[in-house]
Amino acid sequence: MKINNFIICVFVLYFMAASCKQETAFDASGSFEAVETVISAEATGILKMFQVDEGQQLEAGQLVGYVDTVQLFLKKKQLEMQIDALASKKPNIPVQLSALKEQLKTAETEQKRVENLVKSEAATTKQLDDINAQIEVIKRQIDAQKSTLEISSGGINKDMLPLEVQVQQIDDQLLKSRVINPLSGTVIAKYTEQNEMVATGKPLYKIADLSEIILRVFISANQLPQVKLNQTVKVHTDDGNGGFAETQGVVTWISDKAEFTPKTIQTKEERANQVYAMKVKVKNDGTFKIGMYGEINF
């Protein structure tokens, strides 16, 4: 009986030792996290359409909603009508100058006729001087009229510029009224619902790319020389059957500042009261979840 009890105690101690050995076999431990992006509204109004649900997969550039744009559309139409009204006041320079150009053409024809008459001594040089002077007067009238019309047209163009800039501003606001998902990933939180009033800057949803996930672990100062950037490490997670599943990860970041050991983290050397944070990127097929615990071996 005593021998049996002794054997049982030996087995119990063996398994306890094996368990303790397994728990302390890892160099560092931590939890998984992801790069999370909060998407906010860029316009103010009623959210007329919002097709986002938690857990939904979204593609980059996907339209997921829009804010009511009726008032912006009407404001744009008003500005366009004002621009058209100003444009209608612009003088038609070729038409305005056509009468004077016809006079110039007639005078130049008369000039040639008088020149021929002077050559044949059928007209006096005074008559030629008079027609030359008339042509110069008409040319000056054309130049003066053209300058006046161009100044008038330029002034109207300057009056139109601020209105055109306002139209461009409204076009930008109309674009920002559309909720465009900026990156591919999974919706992990939803903060608003369709038909709610939103304001510029109000968070709409949170998205993260879970195809690659980050395991943040903590190592002691003594372990720091053993790791380097882009180093491949072994990542262990619970497999649900009392064991561990193993995969590989890559060290992408090592903190340059020590911090006090988080309460939930046990490092290889428990006496260490300060540790360095480290990020390990792991490819994720859906197995790893945000907040799940994991361990690594260098």
Side-chain angles (χ1 to χ4, degrees):
M1 187 70 173
K2 292 181 178 179
I3 294 175
N4 290 337
N5 289 338
F6 175 76
I7 294 173
I8 292 172
C9 290
V10 170
F11 274 106
V12 169
L13 291 173
Y14 172 78
F15 284 115
M16 288 179 63
S19 175
C20 292
K21 183 179 180 181
Q22 185 179 30
E23 289 179 359
T24 59
F26 304 112
D27 294 317
S29 62
S31 59
F32 287 98
E33 59 186 37
V35 178
E36 301 175 350
T37 303
V38 176
I39 310 303
S40 301
E42 296 186 85
T44 299
I46 302 296
L47 194 59
K48 302 299 289 184
M49 189 267 281
F50 191 51
Q51 298 176 341
V52 170
D53 291 303
E54 292 179 350
Q56 181 180 358
Q57 294 286 333
L58 298 178
E59 299 296 330
Q62 181 177 342
L63 175 67
V64 297
Y66 66 87
V67 178
D68 180 30
T69 59
V70 172
Q71 292 302 316
L72 287 174
F73 176 77
L74 294 176
K75 178 64 176 177
K76 180 180 177 180
K77 294 299 292 182
Q78 179 185 7
L79 290 171
E80 288 175 341
M81 292 174 66
Q82 291 178 350
I83 292 173
D84 290 340
L86 284 173
S88 66
K89 296 179 180 179
K90 291 175 63 175
N92 190 328
I93 296 177
V95 173
Q96 296 279 356
L97 296 178
S98 60
L100 287 174
K101 288 184 176 180
E102 283 296 324
Q103 292 181 24
L104 179 61
K105 185 177 179 180
T106 302
E108 288 174 342
T109 302
E110 181 66 17
Q111 180 188 42
K112 292 179 181 179
R113 190 180 67 83
V114 172
E115 286 176 347
N116 292 330
L117 290 174
V118 169
K119 289 179 181 179
S120 61
E121 297 182 351
T124 63
T125 56
K126 182 178 181 307
Q127 290 176 303
L128 182 59
D129 292 340
D130 290 342
I131 194 64
N132 288 338
Q134 183 181 353
I135 289 174
E136 287 300 319
V137 170
I138 294 174
K139 286 182 178 180
R140 291 180 183 179
Q141 288 177 342
I142 290 175
D143 291 340
Q145 184 74 0
K146 183 178 181 181
S147 176
T148 301
L149 294 174
E150 287 177 347
I151 291 173
S152 177
S153 181
I156 293 174
N157 287 335
K158 290 180 180 179
D159 291 338
M160 292 168 60
L161 283 176
L163 299 177
E164 291 172 348
V165 172
Q166 290 181 49
V167 170
Q168 294 173 2
Q169 291 174 335
I170 290 180
D171 285 337
D172 180 63
Q173 292 174 350
L174 288 170
L175 287 175
K176 290 180 177 178
S177 296
R178 305 168 71 223
V179 183
I180 304 295
N181 182 60
L183 54 92
S184 298
T186 303
V187 178
I188 57 179
K190 181 180 179 181
Y191 303 121
T192 191
E193 297 291 339
Q194 185 171 313
N195 295 320
E196 287 186 0
M197 183 71 181
V198 298
T200 301
K202 178 180 178 180
L204 300 178
Y205 63 97
K206 184 189 295 183
I207 189 171
D209 182 5
L210 301 181
S211 62
E212 289 185 327
I213 197 165
I214 302 297
L215 176 60
R216 180 189 288 266
V217 299
F218 296 86
I219 58 176
S220 66
N222 290 340
Q223 292 174 302
L224 195 59
Q226 302 177 38
V227 295
K228 58 183 179 180
L229 291 177
N230 299 317
Q231 178 179 341
T232 300
V233 297
K234 294 180 180 180
V235 178
H236 304 270
T237 55
D238 293 334
D239 63 3
N241 297 315
F244 292 93
E246 181 180 309
T247 187
Q248 287 189 335
V250 177
V251 177
T252 59
W253 174 79
I254 302 172
S255 175
D256 60 349
K257 295 181 180 178
E259 57 185 285
F260 286 106
T261 308
K263 294 180 180 180
T264 58
I265 301 299
Q266 289 294 328
T267 60
K268 186 177 181 181
E269 298 180 5
E270 294 181 355
R271 66 179 181 271
N273 59 4
Q274 282 196 321
V275 292
Y276 291 83
M278 185 172 73
K279 291 181 180 180
V280 178
K281 182 180 289 187
V282 182
K283 289 190 178 298
N284 186 17
D285 59 358
T287 302
F288 308 116
K289 314 295 190 299
I290 296 174
M292 178 185 287
Y293 286 97
E295 292 82 13
I296 66 168
N297 285 119
F298 306 151

